[in-house]
Amino acid sequence: MTLPVVEIFGPTVQGEGPDAGTPAYFVRFGGCDYRCSWCDSMHAVDPAEIRANAEHMTAEQIVQRVTHLPSGPNLVVLSGGNPALLDLGALVLALRRDGMRVAVETQGSRWRDWLADVDRLVISPKPPSSDMASPDQIAALRAFMSKVTFAPAPVLKIVVFDQADLEWAAARHCDHPQLPLFLSAGTDVGLPDNETISRLRARYRWLCEMVARRSDLRAVSVLPQLHVIAWGTTKGV
Ligand code: SF4
């Protein structure tokens, strides 16, 4: 069985969530059931781009490619798109057999049993600014969460652009208080790097100030997207 791989890169650092700042390799898979308005990975979402650019690789070929990258990290992040659309069970086991920690990022729209085998499950539901927030998304997230007790180290990570997003994130925190919540100040796409970073800085400062005043968010971590600060919106780093 082959898997549609859009990018394999590293060493770099994870820019978001509980492993922010940790050296990592990334494997990005093609295919997504969402179309977020601010998606920064449309090359892994748009079917025509995936058809044109994805490499179809077996789990063994992916492990080999990762192990031939310059050495350093022992963390592999499986990303997308939505990697939970695929059967990555064999890949997860092969990477872990090779001594790697495996983290996966998914929006929580579809459960797969292999998600229970990773070292870190980052669930990243999408707030109103994505145009994907709906009662259906919340129902799918609830169904997903009913399985999450089987997964080690699950966390919620929500990108926040504005006040409506922050209120939506606070409601998800209230729905799922057992999971640590990481908020990421959102990055605007399609702008020159200096403007992207200046807007990210202003949004991060705003988000810190808002969260710091709220007793319902006192256990939450607030981060900027660190990879954007370091590399702008360049792909493959
Ligand atoms: S879920 Fe992620 S990859 Fe899919 S469209 Fe939204 S931001 Fe892009």
Side-chain angles (χ1 to χ4, degrees):
M1 186 190 70
T2 61
L3 300 158
V5 178
V6 173
E7 290 175 299
I8 297 180
F9 61 90
T12 182
V13 295
Q14 168 61 288
E16 299 180 79
D19 292 315
T22 304
Y25 302 108
F26 279 75
V27 182
R28 188 183 300 286
F29 294 94
C32 191
D33 42 343
Y34 283 11
R35 296 290 181 276
C36 299
S37 61
W38 34 250
C39 180
D40 60 359
S41 307
M42 278 310 288
H43 58 306
V45 174
D46 178 55
E49 280 206 54
I50 296 166
R51 264 195 307 278
N53 300 318
E55 204 174 333
H56 290 267
M57 302 173 74
T58 63
E60 293 72 28
Q61 287 169 330
I62 295 170
V63 174
Q64 269 187 8
R65 185 76 61 84
V66 170
T67 53
H68 281 86
L69 290 169
S71 62
N74 77 335
L75 173 66
V76 179
V77 180
L78 306 179
S79 185
N82 181 5
L85 298 185
L86 301 166
D87 181 0
L88 302 186
L91 175 63
V92 169
L93 294 180
L95 287 167
R96 295 190 75 202
R97 253 197 320 270
D98 234 54
M100 290 290 179
R101 285 175 56 230
V102 178
V104 64
E105 300 188 357
T106 176
Q107 60 262 46
S109 58
R110 190 176 303 190
W111 175 261
R112 292 271 187 171
D113 286 344
W114 62 263
L115 292 170
D117 296 331
V118 303
D119 297 282
R120 170 84 74 192
L121 174 58
V122 178
I123 306 150
S124 183
K126 305 305 176 194
S129 63
S130 70
D131 294 337
M132 289 291 117
S134 69
D136 284 353
Q137 187 200 166
I138 291 173
L141 183 64
R142 285 216 174 97
F144 186 96
M145 287 296 186
S146 70
K147 308 279 191 175
V148 157
T149 43
F150 301 114
V155 304
L156 268 178
K157 185 196 78 176
I158 300 178
V159 174
V160 173
F161 279 81
D162 55 26
Q163 188 69 40
D165 286 357
L166 181 58
E167 299 307 329
W168 193 90
R172 301 294 74 73
H173 187 44
C174 185
D175 289 345
H176 309 289
Q178 72 282 15
L179 264 62
L181 172 62
F182 292 78
L183 297 179
S184 279
T187 299
D188 295 294
V189 291
L191 300 172
D193 267 3
N194 56 351
E195 198 176 335
T196 302
I197 288 166
S198 115
R199 286 192 188 200
L200 178 60
R201 186 171 170 232
R203 188 169 287 127
Y204 180 59
R205 193 170 54 223
W206 165 80
L207 186 55
C208 289
E209 289 168 1
M210 296 303 293
V211 169
R213 289 193 203 116
R214 291 179 65 141
S215 57
D216 60 336
L217 296 176
R218 58 170 61 121
V220 165
S221 300
V222 187
L223 293 170
Q225 294 179 314
L226 295 177
H227 51 290
V228 177
I229 292 174
W231 291 285
T233 51
T234 310
K235 291 189 178 58
V237 286

